[in-house]
Structure formats: structure tokens, C-alpha cells
Amino acid sequence: MLPNLIYPLSKSETLGFSLFSDDAYVLLVRLAVNMIVLTILIRYFYYEKTKRKDYLFTYYLIGTITFFLCFGLMQMDIDTGMGLGLFAIFGIIRYRTDAIEIKEMTYLFMIIGISVVNALASNELSISEVGVINLSVILLTFILENLWLMKHETRKTVNYERIDLIIPDKYEEMKADLEKRTGLTINRVEIGKIDFLNDTAQVRIYYFADDQAFSDYHNQ
């Protein structure tokens, strides 16, 4: 008599999924690496310079969601090109309420890119190679933020009513008046649109944001 080779299926197998697999360990390790890199880039590089909590929230969530989506697509053997095409949509996000500035867009692209690399790194890519990629991004960002681009010249546009000072001969007097009113150390001043009907002019002032007691270079 033939032995009974038919074994009852577990409940999880009957439902079409497994409760645990070895890939869970891979997920946890890659997630930990990704979160450490994101924290260095977002919290200690970006936030220390801008103090903007709204983008802090956005970058963490987009980076984490991108990581999980990429990892899930890799497990389902979906074509990597199609998957990256889906994430390219994130790179062209434009919020309807407020336009994203170039620096914020650069950080957004970097967060998405590093999350994709950490999630899709195959077995052919060694841990040392993944480490070099992450450390290179961190090091380059640190150099640009703290060594090469320490002083960020920003600008503000103000409506100026003393149009008697907008002539070239009274440039220094106008600059001193603007510094007294704004409390900023101004590098240079540019004259824009002049409204003689209301005796006002649009003046753009330039200054180093890091040298001021208070400033927000996102306000134009």
C-alpha cells in the first residue's frame, strides 16, 4: 500500500500568502540603512540649513514609501524600468499651493534616488558597493552645504515708497535706509518696476541669509 504523500496545507498557504520569509530580514536591514541615510541627509543637512518642518515631513514619507514600493516591485519580479518610470512621477511633483524651489526639488530627487538604490540593490551588488553609493551622496551633500556653499546669497522684493532715492547718485543712501528698515545687512540693491502714479518702486535686495539674526530665503 502506497504511503499517504498528501499533507494538509497550512491556513496561510491556503489563503495564498506566507506569514514569514527570509526576505523579511533583508527588508529590515535595507530599511535600517535607508532610514539612517535619510536621517543624515534630511535632519542633519537639510533641516539644519532651512528649518522647514513641512519638507522634513514630506521627504521622510516620500523616501520611505518609495523604498517600500521598490522593494515590493522587486519581490514581484516587475520590470525595473517600469518601476523606475513610476517613481519618476514623484520627481515632477508640483504642489498647486506653493511652487517647489530648486533646492527642495534637488533634495526630493536625491531622497527618491537613494531610496530606490537601497531597495533595488540586487545580490550582484555587494554591501561595500551600496555603502560607497550612500557615503558618496552623504559626503558630497556635506561638502556642498557646509564647505563650498557656506554663504547663500538670497533676495527679497519690497515695495519702496521713497522713489526720490532710487536714482544712481543716491544709491548708498537708499541702501542705508533699507538696511535700517529691514534690519538686514544688504549686499546690493536692484531697482525693478517704478509706479510714479503711487510713488512706489519694486526694489530687490540681496543679502547673505546665514549672516542675519533672522531670515528666510524662501520668501521672495
Side-chain angles (χ1 to χ4, degrees), residues 2-30:
L2 295 175
N4 186 9
L5 299 179
I6 300 176
Y7 300 96
L9 295 176
S10 64
K11 185 176 181 180
S12 61
E13 292 175 335
T14 304
L15 296 176
F17 65 88
S18 59
L19 294 177
F20 188 82
S21 68
D22 293 337
D23 290 333
Y25 296 113
V26 178
L27 172 62
L28 292 176
V29 172
R30 292 188 181 186

Side-chain angles (χ1 to χ4, degrees), residues 3-101:
N4 186 9
L5 299 179
I6 300 176
Y7 300 96
L9 295 176
S10 64
K11 185 176 181 180
S12 61
E13 292 175 335
T14 304
L15 296 176
F17 65 88
S18 59
L19 294 177
F20 188 82
S21 68
D22 293 337
D23 290 333
Y25 296 113
V26 178
L27 172 62
L28 292 176
V29 172
R30 292 188 181 186
L31 179 61
V33 171
N34 192 61
M35 292 305 298
I36 292 173
V37 175
L38 291 186
T39 299
I40 294 174
L41 293 174
I42 301 171
R43 178 61 182 84
Y44 294 102
F45 289 172
Y46 175 78
Y47 183 72
E48 287 298 320
K49 292 291 184 180
T50 63
K51 303 298 182 182
R52 300 198 62 174
K53 292 184 178 180
D54 50 349
Y55 283 106
L56 193 73
F57 172 85
T58 301
Y59 290 152
Y60 265 115
L61 285 185
I62 287 183
T64 304
I65 292 172
T66 301
F67 173 85
F68 284 135
L69 287 175
C70 283
F71 191 86
L73 291 176
M74 181 182 66
Q75 298 302 312
M76 292 184 291
D77 294 329
I78 294 180
D79 182 68
T80 303
M82 185 183 71
L84 292 177
L86 294 175
F87 302 122
I89 298 174
F90 291 117
I92 57 174
I93 290 176
R94 304 293 293 180
Y95 295 108
R96 297 298 181 182
T97 55
D98 188 19
I100 303 178
E101 296 185 11

Side-chain angles (χ1 to χ4, degrees), residues 40-200:
I40 294 174
L41 293 174
I42 301 171
R43 178 61 182 84
Y44 294 102
F45 289 172
Y46 175 78
Y47 183 72
E48 287 298 320
K49 292 291 184 180
T50 63
K51 303 298 182 182
R52 300 198 62 174
K53 292 184 178 180
D54 50 349
Y55 283 106
L56 193 73
F57 172 85
T58 301
Y59 290 152
Y60 265 115
L61 285 185
I62 287 183
T64 304
I65 292 172
T66 301
F67 173 85
F68 284 135
L69 287 175
C70 283
F71 191 86
L73 291 176
M74 181 182 66
Q75 298 302 312
M76 292 184 291
D77 294 329
I78 294 180
D79 182 68
T80 303
M82 185 183 71
L84 292 177
L86 294 175
F87 302 122
I89 298 174
F90 291 117
I92 57 174
I93 290 176
R94 304 293 293 180
Y95 295 108
R96 297 298 181 182
T97 55
D98 188 19
I100 303 178
E101 296 185 11
I102 185 64
K103 185 174 183 178
E104 276 65 34
M105 284 295 296
T106 303
Y107 266 96
L108 177 61
F109 180 76
M110 179 171 60
I111 295 304
I112 293 174
I114 203 69
S115 298
V116 170
V117 170
N118 290 330
L120 294 181
S122 64
N123 294 329
E124 298 179 357
L125 198 63
S126 65
I127 296 177
S128 60
E129 290 173 318
V130 176
V132 168
I133 294 173
N134 285 273
L135 290 177
S136 298
V137 173
I138 292 173
L139 182 60
L140 182 59
T141 305
F142 175 79
I143 292 174
L144 292 175
E145 283 281 23
N146 298 281
L147 301 180
W148 288 353
L149 304 176
M150 290 185 65
K151 287 191 174 183
H152 176 84
E153 188 181 53
T154 187
R155 66 191 182 187
K156 287 182 182 291
T157 302
V158 298
N159 290 323
Y160 192 56
E161 83 283 357
R162 294 196 60 183
I163 60 173
D164 59 303
L165 299 180
I166 65 175
I167 59 178
D169 294 339
K170 296 186 177 181
Y171 173 82
E172 293 298 330
E173 186 177 349
M174 176 184 61
K175 180 181 174 183
D177 183 57
L178 287 169
E179 287 181 338
K180 181 180 179 181
R181 294 187 180 197
T182 60
L184 299 172
T185 302
I186 299 173
N187 302 329
R188 54 195 174 95
V189 179
E190 291 181 355
I191 307 299
K193 182 179 179 181
I194 302 174
D195 186 355
F196 288 106
L197 182 63
N198 297 316
D199 289 337
T200 60

